[in-house]
Amino acid sequence: MLKGKTIIVGVTGGIAAYKTAMLVSRLKAWGADVWVVMTAAATKLIGPLTFRTLTGNPVVYDLFSQEDIHTPVPHISLADRADLVIIAPCTANMIGKLANGLADDPLSTIVMACQAPKIIAPAMNCNMWRNPLVQGNVGKLKALNWECIGPVEGKLACGVEDIGRMAEPEEILERTLALIGSKQDLKGKHILITAGGTQETIDPVRFIANRSSGKMGYAIAANARERGAEVTLISANVDLPAPLDLKPIKVATADQMLASVEAALQKADVVVMAAAVADYKYHAAKSKIKKSNQKLKLALTPTSDILQRVTSATGRAGKTIVGFALETDNLIANARKKLKEKDLDLIVANDPTTFGSDSAKVVLINKLGKQRPLPRASKSVVAREILNAIL
Ligand SMILES: Cc1cc2nc3c(=O)[nH]c(=O)nc-3n(C[C@H](O)[C@H](O)[C@H](O)COP(=O)(O)O)c2cc1C
């Protein structure tokens, strides 16, 4: 939801600065490009290296240092690029500076130059927070449409239970998603996605496989999740990191994939069968088949047709079923045949150059026969278009 967004996270000298490490890591997990700017006081409480490691970006804490930041005026270029500024924790001192237009450290200078929306998460001792000067300064920032999240009540660093704790990172993340996150047009939908290629055992050391990498299915799962869908991802022999906060259900064979699909089918609104499923399986030998000079014949039996099972299942009505066709010859004619025979709502036709690649050139054909060729594009762009077509 935050892919393509640049967020400046300002860290000031409050004891809650350790919580900002969690906030930064959550913003990264949602795809944001995060730049941390620290005050000198903040660097006494948490090391810049922590943020550098979590964000993968240099940390700005010295306005006059050119180290690591390869632009002539970093505070202006960063300010121009930002989609959002979050200052967490925000000290009484920083609130005072910002409300009164001071710019004498990297953070207040960058914020002064930045036109993006701003969130502060104040954290301080309860008496500091209640101080009319602090309240007046917070009021000034709110009047300029700055958002103030917290502080909340709880145990403070000084030992008392009162107001002053920094809001939890999750609350700040939620507000961030609401402010600048991508649209949630799949919220409330449950999407079942299969990805990868099944493997059929021949003997304890060999199997029949195919060249599917799982990249397409994983890209669809990631995009669906970003757009708010609940996703069940059934993954066959995929060697990729799990998409954002998803735990793929791992299967190896076509039979295992069928069982997992049937178990998840009932609650799905949309089924996207992106996996390459073996058409044939072997009655696996218990011991390794020994080498000989004779011809080896393996009698293969057809696997269950998972798509057919899905489209003929009771409860299919109301579900959108999407299949993939990969053909070496007569791509469109074969894809159209499969669309009809399997009673699909949409078919994604692609050729074998798609296997393992980061890009794909596909043609989308819907139930009404409408055909839409897409130019070659990254699998994440193709995934977005497939989900748009489903919508
Ligand atoms: C251990 C420690 C914890 C502090 N925690 C806070 C705090 O939670 N909130 C706050 O406003 N000031 C806190 N301060 C005081 C600030 O660090 C101090 O006002 C400093 O000048 C703030 O600088 P900055 O706003 O540039 O980060 C703390 C100081 C120390 C030594």
Side-chain angles (χ1 to χ4, degrees), residues 12-16 39-42 45 90-94 97 123-125 128:
T12 65
I15 200 71
T39 62
L45 297 165
C90 194
T91 54
N93 175 58
M94 184 54 72
K97 282 200 215 179
M124 64 197 72
N125 162 272
M128 285 171 90

